[in-house]
C-alpha cells in the first residue's frame, strides 16, 4: 500500500529534536542560572566582622557603694570610733610577742575601744531597736571586748592589767596562753571589721 510523503519523512523530521533532548539530558540539562557570588571565608569569619562598640562604662565613684541607710549608720559609727581611738593595728601582736609587749597591749586596747565606741554610737542612734537593726555589729563588738577581758585576767598579758606578772617558772606557759588569747582576739577583730567596713 502506498503511503504519502508525510508518513515517510515524519520520523526523519523528529530525529533532530529527539537528538537535541538526549544531548541536553546527557550534559546535565539546561544551563544553570548564574549563582550569586559566595561569601569568602574571611568575610564571614567573626574576626573579620567589625566589632560592635563596647557599652559605655558607668562612671567610677569615689564613695564606696552602700546598700542601705543602716549600712551608712554602721560605717559612720565605726569611722568616728576609729578616729577617736587610733592605733588598733593588731598585726603588732605576733605569736612570739613577749608577755610585757606594750605595743601589742596598746593595739589591743585601741581595738577594744573602737569596738566599744562603735557599739555605743549605734545604741544611741536607736536605743529601742539597736539589737534588731545592728545585731551582727553589736555581737562582734562584744566578742572583741570579751577577748580583751581574757587578756587582762587572770594573766596580765601585754601590760593590759596592773596585776603582778606570773613567777618565772610559769612565765613561758603564761606567754603561750597570752599568745593564743591574742590570736583569738585578732580573729574576733577581723570578724568585727567584716561587719562594719564596706
Amino acid at each position: 500500500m502506498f503511503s504519502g510523503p508525510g508518513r515517510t519523512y515524519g520520523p526523519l523530521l523528529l530525529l533532530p529534536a529527539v537528538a537535541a533532548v538526549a544531548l541536553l539530558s546527557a550534559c546535565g540539562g539546561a544551563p544553570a542560572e548564574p549563582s550569586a557570588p559566595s561569601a569568602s571565608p574571611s568575610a564571614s569569619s567573626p574576626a573579620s566582622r567589625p566589632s560592635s562598640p563596647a557599652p559605655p562604662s558607668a562612671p567610677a565613684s569615689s564613695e564606696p557603694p552602700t546598700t542601705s541607710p543602716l549600712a551608712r549608720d554602721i560605717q559612720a559609727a565605726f569611722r568616728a570610733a576609729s578616729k577617736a581611738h587610733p592605733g588598733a593595728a593588731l598585726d603588732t601582736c605576733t605569736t612570739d610577742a613577749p608577755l610585757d609587749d606594750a605595743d601589742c597591749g596598746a593595739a589591743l586596747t585601741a581595738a577594744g575601744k573602737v569596738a566599744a565606741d562603735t557599739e555605743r554610737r549605734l545604741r544611741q542612734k536607736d536605743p529601742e531597736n539597736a539589737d534588731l537593726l545592728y545585731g551582727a555589729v553589736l555581737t562582734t563588738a562584744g566578742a572583741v571586748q570579751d577577748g580583751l577581758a581574757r587578756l587582762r585576767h587572770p594573766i596580765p598579758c601585754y601590760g593590759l592589767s596592773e596585776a603582778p606578772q606570773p613567777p618565772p617558772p610559769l612565765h613561758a606557759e603564761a606567754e603561750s596562753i597570752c599568745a593564743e588569747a591574742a590570736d583569738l582576739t585578732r580573729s574576733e577583730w577581723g570578724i568585727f571589721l567584716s561587719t562594719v567596713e564596706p
Side-chain angles (χ1 to χ4, degrees):
M1 182 173 163
F2 176 79
S3 59
R7 188 178 288 272
T8 304
Y9 295 105
L12 293 176
L13 292 175
L14 291 176
L15 187 59
V18 172
V21 169
L23 184 60
L24 286 174
S25 300
C27 294
E33 292 290 327
S35 61
S38 62
S40 66
S42 62
S44 64
S45 66
S48 64
R49 281 186 237 136
S51 60
S52 59
S57 58
S61 172
S62 59
E63 284 295 315
T66 55
T67 56
S68 68
L70 290 179
R72 288 195 294 271
D73 290 345
I74 291 167
Q75 291 164 18
F78 170 68
R79 287 173 185 152
S82 297
K83 187 175 180 181
H85 309 286
L90 298 192
D91 54 346
T92 60
C93 295
T94 60
T95 53
D96 58 350
L99 198 57
D100 58 352
D101 188 332
D103 291 337
C104 175
L108 288 163
T109 299
K113 287 181 177 179
V114 170
D117 198 11
T118 300
E119 179 181 359
R120 179 186 63 78
R121 290 170 190 271
L122 291 176
R123 289 195 183 279
Q124 283 180 344
K125 188 84 177 168
D126 192 337
E128 293 183 6
N129 302 305
D131 288 311
L132 180 63
L133 296 174
Y134 313 114
V137 178
L138 301 182
T139 299
T140 57
V144 172
Q145 295 171 73
D146 291 345
L148 199 59
R150 282 192 304 270
L151 289 161
R152 288 193 173 113
H153 308 289
I155 302 170
C157 302
Y158 313 116
L160 294 173
S161 170
E162 297 296 327
Q165 292 291 310
L170 300 176
H171 193 81
E173 185 179 352
E175 274 190 344
S176 176
I177 293 170
C178 287
E180 288 179 14
D183 194 46
L184 181 58
T185 304
R186 276 198 307 272
S187 297
E188 290 164 340
W189 173 252
I191 296 169
F192 168 72
L193 292 180
S194 73
T195 65
V196 296
E197 292 183 331

